[in-house]
Amino acid sequence: MLLTDPVTLENDWVRLEPLSPDHSGDLAVATEGLEYAWYTSAPTADGIPGEIERRLAWRAEGHMNPWAVRRRSTGRVVGMTTFCNIVQADRHVEVGHTWLSPSAQRTEVNSAAKLALLGHAFEACDAIAVELRTHFHNRQSRAAIARLGAKQDGILRNHRLGPGGTLRDTVVFSILPHEWPAVRLGLEERLSRG
């Protein structure tokens, strides 16, 4: 299976559905309360249709595979996530462009989504490396990535321009195939504790 193939991924906690304009309404509601996150690129409610269009264009170009994240306990779409920076020839992918509604943060949703995405990358797509990147100042995201069992590869200094001309340092983590079994067990254990 290719990293770019649109496919539904699910487990007991989340259903990752190939992103479509049909998700616009729920995603607009899910953006409420994200204004505090200056260091991340969560869209505004008004920006959701354009963000869906942009991610679908990148999928058509072969660079991204985007999903809407549906929380199974409520049936609501609570965010987006993607495979991005896909290099199919090298079986290399990044999990990124992820944002979750404040109501889904620090719940089972992120761990369950990562379990589904990483399982798909390593088990169905035979990935040789999965990267996760975040803004240096996004300490919540950095801690969550480290808890997954991902290893920090380094920091790309002045990697991108951010809001208002700020310079973003990007922290790069990765998980390799031989690390996936331990990462999977850690995620399953965390999810089993509720």
Side-chain angles (χ1 to χ4, degrees):
M1 180 170 281
L2 300 178
L3 292 160
T4 52
D5 288 344
V7 60
T8 298
L9 306 173
E10 64 185 312
N11 53 39
D12 290 344
W13 303 274
V14 296
R15 178 179 165 93
L16 305 183
E17 302 170 1
L19 185 65
S20 80
D22 294 341
H23 294 112
S24 292
D26 277 352
L27 287 168
V29 171
T31 65
E32 293 172 10
L34 289 174
E35 304 80 28
Y36 71 89
W38 66 269
Y39 45 76
T40 190
S41 57
T44 62
D46 291 342
I48 287 292
E51 182 63 15
I52 291 172
E53 185 177 311
R54 182 171 70 120
R55 290 181 186 212
L56 293 179
W58 285 343
R59 177 168 62 199
E61 294 169 2
H63 306 294
M64 180 178 277
N65 193 352
W67 286 274
V69 179
R70 185 176 300 277
R71 190 175 195 175
R72 293 189 68 188
S73 65
T74 64
R76 301 291 298 189
V77 172
V78 295
M80 293 183 187
T81 193
T82 76
F83 280 171
C84 56
N85 297 319
I86 297 170
V87 183
Q88 185 62 53
D90 293 327
R91 300 191 328 267
H92 190 276
V93 66
E94 177 185 341
V95 171
H97 295 271
T98 301
W99 63 268
L100 294 174
S101 134
S103 68
Q105 294 174 13
R106 298 178 188 245
T107 70
E108 77 287 350
V109 171
N110 189 49
S111 294
K114 294 300 188 285
L115 180 63
L117 291 165
L118 293 168
H120 183 63
F122 287 119
E123 296 166 16
C125 299
D126 198 26
I128 63 167
V130 176
E131 274 189 10
L132 299 104
R133 296 179 175 208
T134 192
H135 193 296
F136 179 82
H137 289 290
N138 191 343
R139 299 195 189 289
Q140 180 178 330
S141 180
R142 287 172 59 189
I145 293 169
R147 277 193 307 274
L148 284 174
K151 305 289 189 280
Q152 184 174 319
D153 295 326
I155 299 174
L156 303 174
R157 309 252 338 244
N158 284 358
H159 180 234
R160 291 198 328 223
L161 288 172
T166 59
L167 295 171
R168 171 184 159 142
D169 290 349
T170 299
V171 185
V172 181
F173 295 83
S174 66
I175 300 169
L176 303 180
H178 69 278
E179 298 165 335
W180 165 234
V183 170
R184 182 184 61 236
L185 287 173
L187 284 166
E188 290 171 347
E189 170 65 22
R190 187 174 309 131
L191 288 164
S192 73
R193 286 182 276 151

